[in-house]
């Protein structure tokens, strides 16, 4: 079955370093991938979308890549700050295409230490 | 500022009670969703509605029903609450993909309702 997976282990890094989070998908080929940020006790908030024909997308300190050969997206936060600490979710449309529904990964929690 | 609101942040109910969770969006979105989120399991889709009075089962619809009588409002109903329905419930909305507003297909989420069933 179609699956989207993120590293469930928390990622701990030092302030100022680059955080890299991974999203892998199996058994389908999504037309795009999305990344969301979720703070404790709150709903996810959309950050970025990258389409299958785009290798890389940037927004301020965020960078997302999409490798259709590896079936993987990487999410980078450069010059990370303690305020970047949150859970980051990867999402994509399923095999049924662009119906509006999304499949979400479990999320990776990032902790940036001062 | 776009907004999705949910009727309660925290709710405590007893086993067997009927529970209503309400969600309202002010963005004129066609699509609305109910998810539950549990540690280690991520976001799981319970029900999806793509228009007024239209609904589609998600991955885990058992024990739940929904109602969408108006475009802005999507209700989740637990007919007879059970302890395994203790969870965080999240509502979301989005525009139809293929429309200018839906080009990113981003979903806008409410703050969530933490439901505890005793």
């Amino acid at each position: 079955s179609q699956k989207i997976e993120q590293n469930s282990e928390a990622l701990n890094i030092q302030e100022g370093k680059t955080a890299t989070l991974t999203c892998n998908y199996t058994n389908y080929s999504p037309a795009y991938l999305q990344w969301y940020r979720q703070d404790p006790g709150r709903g996810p908030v959309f950050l970025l979308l990258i389409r299958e024909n785009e290798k890389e997308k940037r927004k301020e300190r965020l960078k997302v890549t999409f490798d259709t050969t590896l079936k993987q997206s990487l999410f980078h936060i450069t010059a990370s700050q303690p305020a970047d600490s949150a859970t980051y979710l990867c999402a994509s449309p399923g095999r049924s295409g662009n119906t509006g529904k999304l499949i979400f990964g479990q999320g990776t929690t990032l902790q940036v230490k001062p | 500022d776009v907004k999705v609101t949910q009727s309660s942040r925290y709710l405590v109910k007893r086993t067997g009670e009927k529970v209503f969770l309400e969600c309202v969006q002010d963005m004129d979105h066609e699509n609305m969703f109910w998810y539950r989120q549990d540690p280690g399991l991520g976001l799981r889709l319970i029900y999806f509605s793509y228009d007024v009075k239209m609904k589609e089962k998600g991955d885990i619809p058992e024990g739940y029903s929904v109602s969408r009588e108006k475009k802005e409002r999507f209700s989740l109903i637990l007919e007879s609450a059970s302890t395994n329905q203790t969870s965080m419930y999240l509502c979301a909305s989005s525009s139809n993909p293929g429309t200018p507003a839906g080009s990113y297909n981003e979903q806008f989420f409410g703050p969530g309702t933490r439901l505890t069933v005793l």
Side-chain angles (χ1 to χ4, degrees):
Chain A
S1 63
Q2 55 200 6
K3 205 183 271 190
I4 192 163
E5 289 181 308
Q6 298 179 253
N7 190 347
S8 56
E9 284 184 26
L11 179 64
N12 295 298
I13 64 165
Q14 208 63 39
E15 182 176 8
K17 301 289 187 188
T18 296
T20 299
L21 285 68
T22 305
C23 173
N24 295 295
Y25 57 91
T26 53
N27 298 325
Y28 73 116
S29 297
Y32 58 84
L33 288 164
Q34 299 178 338
W35 285 88
Y36 290 76
R37 170 184 172 138
Q38 185 175 22
D39 291 290
R42 305 188 74 168
V45 175
F46 173 79
L47 295 174
L48 278 170
L49 176 148
I50 185 164
R51 301 187 192 278
E52 61 180 340
N53 61 350
E54 297 173 317
K55 292 278 189 259
E56 182 180 296
K57 200 77 157 297
R58 289 176 187 261
K59 181 181 175 183
E60 297 170 355
R61 293 184 296 109
L62 308 181
K63 184 178 90 170
V64 175
T65 62
F66 194 170
D67 189 326
T68 55
T69 303
L70 293 178
K71 293 184 176 284
Q72 180 180 84
S73 175
L74 297 179
F75 177 82
H76 306 272
I77 306 176
T78 57
S80 59
Q81 304 165 1
D84 295 325
S85 299
T87 296
Y88 293 87
L89 304 170
C90 175
S92 79
R95 198 183 286 123
S96 53
N98 211 15
T99 60
K101 290 192 289 185
L102 296 172
I103 304 171
F104 284 85
Q106 317 96 298
T108 298
T109 298
L110 171 68
Q111 188 72 34
V112 181
K113 298 187 185 213
Chain B
D1 203 17
V2 297
K3 204 175 268 189
V4 178
T5 56
Q6 294 183 228
S7 49
S8 307
R9 291 301 307 273
Y10 300 94
L11 211 50
V12 180
K13 295 292 181 180
R14 297 216 172 269
T15 302
E17 279 193 80
K18 191 167 186 174
V19 182
F20 294 86
L21 302 182
E22 301 270 316
C23 175
V24 177
Q25 50 99 359
D26 66 358
M27 295 165 280
D28 201 35
H29 284 163
E30 295 82 12
N31 302 324
M32 294 189 76
F33 309 83
W34 274 107
Y35 296 91
R36 64 178 281 177
Q37 187 173 34
D38 301 286
L41 297 177
L43 279 169
R44 293 182 291 167
L45 182 65
I46 305 171
Y47 267 98
F48 161 52
S49 169
Y50 49 93
D51 201 350
V52 175
K53 297 191 190 293
M54 306 304 286
K55 62 187 178 188
E56 192 176 298
K57 291 180 181 178
D59 300 316
I60 50 164
E62 297 78 20
Y64 303 95
S65 62
V66 290
S67 171
R68 190 154 179 217
E69 296 296 319
K70 292 186 177 181
K71 191 175 184 179
E72 67 271 17
R73 189 178 296 268
F74 192 34
S75 302
L76 180 70
I77 303 145
L78 287 65
E79 294 290 342
S80 178
S82 63
T83 54
N84 62 12
Q85 292 178 309
T86 292
S87 186
M88 169 71 95
Y89 289 88
L90 288 159
C91 175
S93 70
S94 70
S95 287
N96 268 340
T99 63
S103 59
Y104 284 96
N105 194 27
E106 61 185 291
Q107 292 188 7
F108 294 85
F109 284 83
T113 296
R114 172 80 59 189
L115 173 67
T116 302
V117 183
L118 301 174

